[in-house]
Amino acid sequence: MRFQYAADLPITSARAKILDMVRRHPVVVLVGETGSGKTTQVPQYLAQELLGAAGSSGRPPVIGVTQPRRVAAITVAKRVAQECGVELGQEVGYAVRFDDQTSTKTIIKYMTDGILLREILTDTTLSKYAYIVLDEAHERTLHGDVLFGLLKQLRQRRPTLKVIVMSATLDAESFSRFWDNAPMGYVAGRQFPVTVFYTVEPQLDYVDAAITTVLQLHLQEGPLQGDMLVFLTGQEEIDDAKKILEERSRRLSATAMKLKVVPLYAALPPDKQMLAFAPAPPGCRKVILSTNIAETSVTINGIRYVIDTGMVKAREYNPNTGLDALRAVPVSRAQARQRAGRAGREAAGKCFRLYTEDSFDTFAQHTTPEIQRVNLSSVVLHLKHLEVHDILQFPFMDPPSKDALVQSLETLLALGAVDADLRITPLGTAMALFPLDPMHAKALINSFLPPFRCGRAMAVIIAMLSVENVFFTPKSEQETADAKRRIFASPYGDQLTLLNVYKAYQKAKKRRGQKEWAQEHYINLRSMASVDDVLGQLLELEPAARAIMQKDAGAGAAAANPTALAGVELDSEDLQVRKCLTSACFLNAAVWSPGDRCYRTAVGRNTVHVHPGSVLFQSQKPNCVIYNSVVHTTQRFMRFVLEVEERWVLEYGRYVYRAPDSQPKKKRPATTAEGSSFLGGVKRARGEAPP
DNA sequence: GAGCACTGC
């Protein structure tokens, strides 16, 4: 393994200082701006340090470098392997879900933070690692923040483990504080200057303002001076803006350079996404209309102008209702700076902010860390599995609200993943094996056990639910797409429809016609391929989960499932699937309220509607449904809805819906203030915890 | 009566 000093990178001059800090301190915070080369170079410096010190026999210790995104882990590993003159997967490798390119020789291992989190489940002290480098820590991803707390605890048990936290933003003091005042090092970046302009007046219609700005700029700025990147909030907005922009640019004088407008958002199929990266045809300026996917996830060459509407669609989770909201909100100042930076990757650029400087000052300093915006039941189950019993005392850098933590414990208790003492149960241990939401993990485990026995179908459904964008619907062909897909529709709802789609996909694959099949039915083939990957992983993990369950049953524990609804030997697959899903998703039940023509959630009595994308949107509304998720946009919509029997919900959820009149409770109880009726209620059921 | 930011295991 040879090393190249990459003398032209800003970080090279700081090498000695960085190594000195790492030698003298257990934890170091490195601040390196975009283009500093820290991601590729620091792990190489550490590798030299290790190889220099080694009188090694046997397996060398590993430098683990985490990244928030798969593409980053893969591309950086490739580049570093090349710089070191080694074959990828030997001394330098990467590991992401479904793709592990490492070997026993691997010294530098790039990986997603989620991979390291799962490795801790099987190697709780991360014994093979000498260094853990947490890159892009400023992004504050859910997995990254959980790793922060776990590594801080782990360092007490394994003081020899060294941690390097790398961040791109200057305010790294908060990281240093979290890590007991760890020393900070700075590495200059290589970023061209970006001149920022604000509007003088606030803009009422930012989409219109964006379109006007694009056209004005296009006419004012010299010919072929670079492409434009416009940040908007979502698919619909982008498609609308594209149409208007194309219309108006057609009316430009014949002498003006042409505009090529390209949309960019995650739901776009890969071939259409590629158009945003292709250079504009000669004599043409490219305008990319993008969601915040262009903020961090992808880099487009040739951008000299950024137009920032200052808005983003952000997810907010309400622990009191258990429901998600997706709303367009102002960006944070850090986000706005990140967007502006996109204009200065190759040369000096300009950024036009469609808001006043005064309003910029009112934006939040940073985007709220993800851990404060999501349902934590999966994270809490993971921590319980790692024997972190007192979740409220876990060292979160920015702790989630107590309500959110308590609510996730209630969910786990209702599912039977923890017992009345909030200790993980065998079922919980089995659930934690799966990279799934706890409800899905429980549905999958149940499906392989009597009386359900629909494991294969359930694994397919859960795999289909855990990938995005199975259906691709261009706005102009919406009716054709809907009609083509109607053949998959199940009268019971979306989960069984997804099963039908997968069965049709498999048939098409058998006759090697899946490409045509996908095209004809407006289905994203790449999503179907990831369904196959997920399905394979679930089926691979399942025997271990079943072994835990059977061992527990053998030890004299209660039967895995209530038997009151048994007799399913004669049930059809549809019926088995519906009962099995209810046995795990009973908290996500909603009942039709004929008076006000909407559904009410069983927990919390919130008003919800069937999502327009559901097969049940147009049909007559069943009395009782379970849903996969609720998202609050213009209204609260249930996504993926399935008709079930109300009595199944009451039976499987009897520890939750245990009111004397056997009606679902009126309101999700406030567990913190008023004596925790739900939690307390289940506690009274001690000794007969839910299955 | 009419809609889905972005990651990741």
Side-chain angles (χ1 to χ4, degrees):
Chain A
M1 182 158 162
R2 70 185 157 83
F3 294 96
Q4 182 181 316
Y5 277 116
D8 59 327
L9 282 168
I11 197 171
T12 311
S13 59
R15 178 178 178 275
K17 204 184 151 210
I18 292 170
L19 280 177
D20 183 56
M21 283 172 73
V22 172
R23 273 181 215 128
R24 291 197 290 134
H25 300 278
V27 181
V28 168
V29 178
L30 281 184
V31 181
E33 293 160 55
T34 318
S36 64
K38 63 186 188 314
T39 303
T40 57
Q41 301 308 304
V42 169
Q44 293 187 58
Y45 302 162
L46 299 173
Q48 288 168 280
E49 190 81 351
L50 276 181
L51 294 175
S56 67
S57 56
R59 194 176 170 148
V62 181
I63 299 151
V65 189
T66 68
Q67 295 287 328
R69 282 170 293 279
R70 294 167 59 98
V71 268
I74 296 169
T75 53
V76 174
K78 282 181 180 165
R79 198 158 83 222
V80 172
Q82 202 175 20
E83 282 180 17
C84 295
V86 300
E87 200 187 321
L88 181 68
Q90 297 300 307
E91 286 87 349
V92 179
Y94 68 84
V96 297
R97 192 181 188 185
F98 308 127
D99 190 5
D100 185 347
Q101 300 289 338
T102 61
S103 64
T104 49
K105 284 168 75 181
T106 300
I107 299 168
I108 301 177
K109 176 175 175 178
Y110 288 92
M111 66 196 126
T112 45
D113 39 26
I115 287 276
L116 188 61
L117 210 48
R118 290 211 81 76
E119 275 187 21
I120 298 181
L121 288 180
T122 47
D123 177 8
T124 50
T125 62
L126 294 176
S127 55
K128 71 177 181 188
Y129 295 97
Y131 298 93
I132 296 289
V133 181
L134 301 165
D135 200 6
E136 312 284 3
H138 61 279
E139 290 200 23
R140 304 298 307 276
T141 60
L142 179 65
H143 288 160
D145 271 14
V146 176
L147 276 177
F148 259 47
L150 285 174
L151 287 173
K152 190 173 180 182
Q153 287 191 331
L154 173 55
R155 274 208 24 80
Q156 292 168 358
R157 281 180 288 151
R158 248 201 81 192
T160 53
L161 180 72
K162 297 222 171 195
V163 175
I164 292 104
V165 179
M166 302 209 293
S167 163
T169 48
L170 277 171
D171 64 5
E173 285 88 0
S174 52
F175 294 115
S176 170
R177 262 196 308 273
F178 175 79
W179 292 99
D180 305 319
N181 298 316
M184 292 185 283
Y186 297 91
V187 187
R190 192 166 49 188
Q191 165 83 13
F192 294 94
V194 175
T195 316
V196 176
F197 301 89
Y198 293 92
T199 58
V200 180
E201 299 288 330
Q203 301 298 307
L204 289 174
D205 183 344
Y206 60 82
V207 178
D208 186 64
I211 292 166
T212 309
T213 309
V214 167
L215 291 170
Q216 279 181 1
L217 260 178
H218 178 56
L219 294 174
Q220 281 165 17
E221 299 284 323
L224 293 172
Q225 285 286 313
D227 297 330
M228 300 183 194
L229 173 61
V230 186
F231 285 101
L232 293 161
T233 66
Q235 179 175 344
E236 197 173 9
E237 199 173 272
I238 286 171
D239 288 341
D240 289 348
K242 177 172 183 283
K243 223 172 112 189
I244 299 169
L245 198 50
E246 279 169 344
E247 262 166 35
R248 286 210 216 159
S249 71
R250 241 177 266 130
R251 296 202 297 259
L252 295 179
S253 76
T255 54
M257 189 172 43
K258 286 203 166 57
L259 273 183
K260 168 93 179 147
V261 185
V262 272
L264 180 63
Y265 42 82
L268 218 51
D271 55 316
K272 298 222 163 50
Q273 278 190 13
M274 289 314 289
L275 297 176
F277 298 91
C284 214
R285 192 202 302 271
K286 188 166 68 174
V287 181
I288 297 151
L289 306 181
S290 175
T291 60
N292 54 344
I293 188 173
E295 212 172 88
T296 50
S297 303
V298 300
T299 303
I300 307 154
N301 295 325
I303 300 295
R304 296 284 293 279
Y305 302 98
V306 163
I307 293 152
D308 178 15
T309 58
M311 299 296 284
V312 65
K313 261 190 199 162
R315 184 163 77 177
E316 285 167 13
Y317 177 72
N318 181 342
N320 295 318
T321 59
L323 306 180
D324 267 325
L326 198 60
R327 289 190 307 169
V329 295
V331 295
S332 66
R333 275 177 271 174
Q335 255 180 309
R337 285 190 199 103
Q338 175 78 21
R339 288 180 171 189
R342 289 299 181 175
R345 297 303 293 261
E346 289 157 30
K350 292 180 181 175
C351 172
F352 296 85
R353 291 182 172 157
L354 303 180
Y355 40 90
T356 63
E357 194 164 4
D358 284 348
S359 55
F360 175 80
D361 293 334
T362 67
F363 291 176
Q365 184 87 14
H366 295 284
T367 312
T368 309
E370 193 182 1
I371 202 157
Q372 296 183 338
R373 287 185 289 127
V374 297
N375 181 332
L376 293 168
S377 52
S378 189
V379 164
V380 170
L381 181 62
H382 197 106
L383 291 176
K384 288 276 175 191
H385 188 48
L386 292 172
E387 299 178 351
V388 177
H389 296 305
D390 193 353
I391 300 295
L392 294 172
Q393 295 303 315
F394 185 73
F396 290 110
M397 187 169 152
D398 285 295
S401 71
K402 195 180 167 195
D403 276 0
L405 289 168
V406 169
Q407 189 261 341
S408 66
L409 286 169
E410 285 180 346
T411 301
L412 294 175
L413 189 57
L415 293 175
V418 297
D419 61 22
D421 297 320
L422 304 180
R423 301 246 153 195
I424 194 163
T425 61
L427 173 62
T429 307
M431 284 162 62
L433 298 181
F434 294 100
L436 293 172
D437 171 71
M439 284 189 202
H440 290 159
K442 176 161 176 167
L444 186 62
I445 289 167
N446 277 357
S447 72
F448 281 89
L449 300 172
F452 302 109
R453 297 194 191 281
C454 54
R456 171 86 194 174
M458 190 59 66
V460 166
I461 289 168
I462 287 163
M464 290 284 286
L465 286 171
S466 52
V467 304
E468 286 289 324
N469 314 326
V470 171
F471 302 114
F472 171 66
T473 316
K475 223 180 172 185
S476 53
E477 297 163 65
Q478 193 168 328
E479 278 177 29
T480 331
D482 286 351
K484 282 285 181 187
R485 288 190 203 124
R486 213 159 290 147
I487 55 164
F488 305 124
S490 158
Y492 292 116
D494 299 303
Q495 286 83 341
L496 285 166
T497 301
L498 290 176
L499 182 59
N500 291 339
V501 171
Y502 187 82
K503 284 177 175 169
Y505 163 71
Q506 256 195 327
K507 268 189 202 156
K509 230 172 31 170
K510 237 176 216 164
R511 52 168 205 270
R512 293 172 191 276
Q514 70 267 37
K515 210 173 159 187
E516 295 72 20
W517 172 83
Q519 217 149 31
E520 192 190 336
H521 297 96
Y522 294 85
I523 281 168
N524 192 337
L525 195 58
R526 216 167 75 161
S527 301
M528 295 307 294
S530 24
V531 171
D532 282 330
D533 284 337
V534 176
L535 183 61
Q537 191 184 30
L538 298 182
L539 295 176
E540 205 173 290
L541 290 168
E542 190 278 327
R546 199 179 340 178
I548 294 173
M549 297 302 291
Q550 277 164 355
K551 193 176 155 204
D552 182 49
N561 289 295
T563 49
L565 301 171
V568 281
E569 285 81 1
L570 298 173
D571 287 355
S572 66
E573 184 183 67
D574 280 3
L575 190 53
Q576 287 172 314
V577 164
R578 289 163 62 221
K579 284 183 177 174
C580 183
L581 271 169
T582 311
S583 77
C585 304
F586 51 83
L587 289 173
N588 286 0
V591 177
W592 180 249
S593 168
D596 29 27
R597 299 193 52 74
C598 67
Y599 281 92
R600 300 280 176 160
T601 57
V603 180
R605 290 280 172 210
N606 294 295
T607 301
V608 287
H609 303 270
V610 174
H611 193 281
S614 167
V615 294
L616 294 184
F617 180 62
Q618 285 174 333
S619 63
Q620 184 161 12
K621 297 297 175 285
N623 170 53
C624 181
V625 295
I626 53 169
Y627 54 82
N628 190 61
S629 60
V630 172
V631 67
H632 190 156
T633 51
T634 53
Q635 296 180 98
R636 283 177 181 145
F637 290 109
M638 300 181 280
R639 300 188 67 190
F640 300 106
V641 185
L642 187 70
E643 176 181 2
V644 299
E645 302 279 338
E646 194 171 356
R647 59 190 175 90
W648 304 344
V649 174
L650 294 173
E651 170 62 17
Y652 292 121
R654 63 187 177 281
Y655 296 96
V656 185
Y657 309 116
R658 68 191 155 72
D661 59 355
S662 71
Q663 285 301 306
K665 297 172 71 61
K666 290 275 185 280
K667 169 176 170 289
R668 178 181 278 275
T671 44
T672 41
E674 50 180 69
S676 167
S677 56
F678 173 26
L679 200 62
V682 182
K683 265 189 178 154
R684 280 198 293 281
R686 188 188 289 262
E688 45 160 357

